[in-house]
Amino acid sequence: MPPETVDMNESDIKEEYTRFIGRKILFIAILAALLILIAGIAASLGSANIALTDTYSAIIERFLPDYVSPSNLATNVVWNLRLPRILMGVAAGIGLAVAGSAMQGILRNPLASPYTLGISSAAGFGAALAILLGKGVVEGEYIVIANAFVFALLASVLIIGIARYKGARPETMILAGIAIMYFFSAMTSLLQYFGDADAVKEVVFWMLGDLDRSSWDTLGIVGIVLVLCVPLIMLKSWDFNVMAAGDETAKSLGVQVERVRILSMILAALLTASIVCFTGTIGFIGLVSPHITRMAIGGDNRFLLPASGLVGAVLLVGADTIARNIIAPVILPVGIMTSFIGVPFFFYLIMRKGREYW
Amino acid sequence: MRLQIRDLSFSYGSTQILKDISMELGSSDVLGIVGPNGAGKSTLIRCIDRILVPQRGTILLDGQEMKQMNSMEIAKKIGYVPQSISNTFPATVFDTVLMGRRPHLGWRSSDADIDTVLEVLTMLKIKYLAMRDFSEISGGQQQKVLIARALAQDAEILLLDEPTSNLDIRHQLEVMEILTKLVKKKGLSVMMAIHDLNLASRYSDRIIMLNGGSIRDTGDPVSVLTAENIESVYGVEVIVKHEAGKPYIIPIRSFGD
């Protein structure tokens, strides 16, 4: 009897499919819980010693003042020093990972990320220009941030411009992105070559990426961009799913491929630019969070986008917590730590997975 | 008539691929497009589904000018079955077929959509593949899944690009039988680009023979698949035998240059 005649009945498949969806939702729920836990642990760790329970009390007190009574020290340290940094880690992790997922989806390329498409290196050049030459799009204390933001957007405008001119094919956009990355790296190197040693060091520090410069104000700005861009990207989930099967298929299913690709690229670029201008270029998160998530729950973008955002947040906050504490009082830049933690974990997943490619 | 095409022309840059194609596709019609490599078969199909935008000519879909329809409206009526797809990222067979519901979906897929997918999988006898990864199943199975997706789309017109090219003889017959059965049962109109002249002859109501981007001949299989037509278009010598009212082609030799 050929295997084709052995068939499952319909309710079985429906049940299996429902379970399959349930698993994905469970994964997201677990990640959300894990993120809250890690954020709490992160808020309790640091030079001032605060117990975990005291930390949570300090956080809860702001919303339900009648039920808990944290120490003054805890309230102060947690709300003024640690929470802005941790929440910035959460926001940056979500933003970079969602931007990475969207880029990999619309470009159908597992190597696409804000980093590999030149957006981060353009931001780095903008910052270097401000730090080394004092030249920027604005004057004063925000010059580095504004420069990084503007140059990051400039890089994506270039990619999108080329895509509009040559047709928004994934290969075109990726090659344009890689060319842009090399161009801005070279420009940065050139500035550094002639720069003064202290300023060059500052540029290097900026490019490593860290959450040191976080405040409630910067968090607010990133938060607004996140609230605007992430839902808009998630609305395109089905289009991303269909586009994964190729442009022809997507077009035949009614998706306006070029428009979705360019619009999503704009949103992803805006997310990336508004984050890296405050944190510097935190690499790796945008690249691996989508892959880690895909290995766990598959490629359906309806679940991939939110889940990878949470994976990115957990990775970034976790990495930052270790970076702050591993050789305290020295605080390592989180950009270094994300790779140190992410790479071994990522290798483990690659080796463990039975399939050739997830 | 479901589809009426008038004076369709398409070029890639300065290379003209299709020249002044005029043709029609009726309901419950199986139309085979034959012709040598580069004759423009796939291009014609892609122009009809507006994957490619023709430079000249009009296409009427149920009497409506397609240029004035939006892509979702078209996707509800026309299903396209490519030769193969390569997913960059993993997708189960179920999710692949569910994609066919895209023109009808919001963010959520409803229970009805899931039922439609199950129904189609049952009809094509590939339910047992539902939770497998699309890229891990055989070429014949993939072809059936792609047909299933077009059916889940609820399209009344199916455009198929070489539906049998990757398949062994049993799967070739199976796929063609599924299609002809659907044409009878659901009144679908099928237009397929196909290399195998004998399959085209056996299963098509009408055949269009393309050569160099123009229609060489059109009509029922007996009138189009003549030794003369095949020799001049393909440059091969053949014997045409008739069996149960259909022509069958036995290739003898190529004429070379």
Side-chain angles (χ1 to χ4, degrees):
Chain A
M1 197 160 70
E4 270 97 317
T5 51
V6 184
D7 222 336
M8 302 158 80
N9 69 49
E10 249 165 68
S11 59
D12 282 353
I13 296 178
K14 202 164 175 177
E15 216 172 85
E16 199 178 335
Y17 183 73
T18 317
R19 262 207 311 277
F20 191 52
I21 299 281
R23 257 203 324 267
K24 297 177 190 189
I25 293 171
L26 181 69
F27 181 76
I28 293 176
I30 289 173
L31 274 175
L34 187 66
L35 181 59
I36 292 171
L37 182 69
I38 289 185
I41 293 172
S44 73
L45 292 173
S47 45
N49 228 337
I50 304 168
L52 192 57
T53 46
D54 209 11
T55 310
Y56 279 112
S57 305
I59 296 169
I60 294 166
E61 191 213 24
R62 194 62 62 109
F63 308 103
L64 301 165
D66 302 337
Y67 296 93
V68 288
S69 47
S71 64
N72 272 340
L73 176 73
T75 310
N76 227 325
V77 168
V78 167
W79 279 95
N80 297 332
L81 296 176
R82 291 181 190 162
L83 267 190
R85 183 189 182 108
I86 292 163
L87 292 179
M88 187 63 153
V90 171
I94 291 175
L96 291 173
V98 169
S101 299
M103 285 172 177
Q104 291 176 7
I106 55 173
L107 299 177
R108 280 206 305 278
N109 191 306
L111 298 177
S113 79
Y115 210 79
T116 44
L117 285 180
I119 297 174
S120 299
S121 88
F125 171 72
L129 201 61
I131 296 168
L132 290 165
L133 301 181
K135 297 250 185 320
V137 290
V138 296
E139 299 281 308
E141 57 174 323
Y142 297 117
I143 182 170
V144 177
I145 294 169
N147 255 17
F149 183 79
V150 167
F151 276 89
L153 282 192
L154 188 71
S156 30
V157 167
L158 271 173
I159 297 174
I160 290 162
I162 291 169
R164 286 203 71 106
Y165 180 69
K166 281 289 292 176
R169 284 173 45 231
E171 297 82 359
T172 315
M173 293 175 82
I174 288 164
L175 288 175
I178 290 174
I180 287 166
M181 179 183 80
Y182 278 109
F183 174 73
F184 281 112
S185 309
M187 295 285 280
T188 308
S189 303
L190 187 69
L191 288 182
Q192 288 177 320
Y193 186 74
F194 291 110
D196 143 85
D198 282 342
V200 168
K201 196 171 172 195
E202 203 184 324
V203 172
V204 171
F205 271 36
W206 191 92
M207 303 248 258
L208 290 174
D210 76 55
L211 299 169
D212 244 6
R213 295 167 291 240
S214 315
S215 70
W216 285 108
D217 292 339
T218 61
L219 181 63
I221 296 170
V222 174
I224 289 168
V225 176
L226 222 60
V227 167
L228 288 177
C229 293
V230 172
L232 281 176
I233 289 177
M234 284 173 61
L235 273 178
K236 299 280 170 212
S237 298
W238 269 108
D239 292 346
F240 292 178
N241 283 352
V242 175
M243 281 163 72
D247 283 10
E248 281 191 4
T249 300
K251 281 185 192 173
S252 75
L253 289 171
V255 176
Q256 289 173 301
V257 175
E258 278 92 3
R259 244 179 66 183
V260 172
R261 189 165 284 142
I262 287 175
L263 182 75
S264 310
M265 192 70 194
I266 292 171
L267 292 170
L270 199 61
L271 269 178
T272 310
S274 64
I275 292 166
V276 297
C277 74
F278 295 121
T279 63
T281 53
I282 298 175
F284 207 63
I285 297 275
L287 179 69
V288 300
S289 307
H291 287 295
I292 291 173
T293 313
R294 250 183 236 112
M295 286 186 238
I297 61 168
D300 186 341
N301 282 281
R302 289 177 297 162
F303 304 97
L304 173 67
L305 289 167
S308 74
L310 290 173
V311 168
V314 167
L315 262 181
L316 190 52
V317 174
D320 187 51
T321 307
I322 296 173
R324 281 195 296 131
N325 294 291
I326 191 164
I327 48 168
V330 177
I331 295 178
L332 289 173
V334 68
I336 296 177
M337 201 45 76
T338 46
S339 300
F340 276 157
I341 295 173
V343 171
F345 179 54
F346 196 50
F347 268 128
Y348 163 74
L349 285 174
I350 293 174
M351 306 301 282
R352 195 199 57 139
K353 200 79 184 177
R355 271 187 290 178
E356 272 177 45
Y357 192 61
W358 45 95
Chain B
M1 283 298 134
R2 305 303 310 268
L3 273 177
Q4 287 167 293
I5 299 169
R6 291 279 162 271
D7 303 321
L8 186 83
S9 296
F10 177 84
S11 344
Y12 280 116
S14 60
T15 318
Q16 186 152 37
I17 310 291
L18 295 173
K19 275 191 287 275
D20 301 323
I21 303 279
S22 295
M23 52 162 279
E24 292 180 337
L25 179 69
S27 18
S28 300
D29 215 359
V30 179
L31 177 63
I33 313 284
V34 301
N37 290 331
K41 303 186 294 292
S42 301
T43 308
L44 176 58
I45 282 183
R46 286 175 207 175
C47 282
I48 294 173
D49 204 17
R50 296 198 74 74
I51 293 167
L52 295 173
V53 182
Q55 282 85 3
R56 282 199 311 114
T58 55
I59 305 175
L60 300 184
L61 171 57
D62 292 330
Q64 209 185 342
E65 167 69 67
M66 276 182 73
K67 262 180 231 159
Q68 273 136 33
M69 300 172 72
N70 72 40
S71 49
M72 281 298 168
E73 282 171 352
I74 295 172
K76 282 176 187 166
K77 291 192 166 182
I78 301 184
Y80 168 69
V81 181
Q83 262 189 58
S84 63
I85 59 168
S86 56
N87 282 329
T88 321
F89 302 113
T92 60
V93 166
F94 193 99
D95 281 337
T96 305
V97 177
L98 187 59
M99 279 176 204
R101 301 300 299 163
R102 173 69 188 97
H104 309 272
L105 281 177
W107 186 86
R108 271 179 61 93
S109 52
S110 71
D111 242 23
D113 293 313
I114 292 173
D115 288 336
T116 307
V117 171
L118 285 171
E119 209 176 289
V120 171
L121 291 174
T122 311
M123 187 163 36
L124 298 189
K125 301 198 181 74
I126 49 173
K127 247 184 333 185
Y128 69 104
L129 293 172
M131 288 298 149
R132 297 269 300 278
D133 196 301
F134 179 80
S135 56
E136 289 172 352
I137 61 178
S138 77
Q141 293 169 331
Q142 289 190 345
Q143 193 67 51
K144 285 191 204 166
V145 172
L146 294 179
I147 292 173
R149 187 179 63 196
L151 294 178
Q153 204 176 332
D154 265 342
E156 293 142 3
I157 300 172
L158 292 192
L159 306 175
L160 299 101
D161 194 358
E162 303 284 356
T164 55
S165 59
N166 300 323
L167 310 184
D168 66 33
I169 188 156
R170 176 178 154 206
H171 284 99
Q172 287 181 0
L173 294 178
E174 233 177 69
V175 163
M176 297 309 290
E177 278 159 16
I178 288 167
L179 287 173
T180 43
K181 215 184 287 169
L182 285 166
V183 168
K184 279 209 197 88
K185 210 167 93 185
K186 299 193 142 193
L188 295 185
S189 307
V190 167
M191 177 171 164
M192 55 185 179
I194 187 159
H195 265 305
D196 189 317
L197 297 176
N198 288 326
L199 280 180
S201 164
R202 168 94 168 70
Y203 291 101
S204 307
D205 300 317
R206 286 190 308 127
I207 286 183
I208 287 179
M209 184 180 271
L210 286 181
N211 190 28
S214 310
I215 294 180
R216 156 83 197 206
D217 201 357
T218 172
D220 59 42
V222 176
S223 70
V224 176
L225 296 176
T226 59
E228 206 186 358
N229 270 345
I230 293 167
E231 279 171 23
S232 80
V233 164
Y234 289 92
V236 294
E237 190 185 332
V238 297
I239 296 173
V240 178
K241 298 252 184 197
H242 288 82
E243 185 76 47
K246 298 276 188 182
Y248 287 90
I249 289 90
I250 300 161
I252 306 299
R253 63 187 177 93
S254 87
F255 289 134
D257 296 316

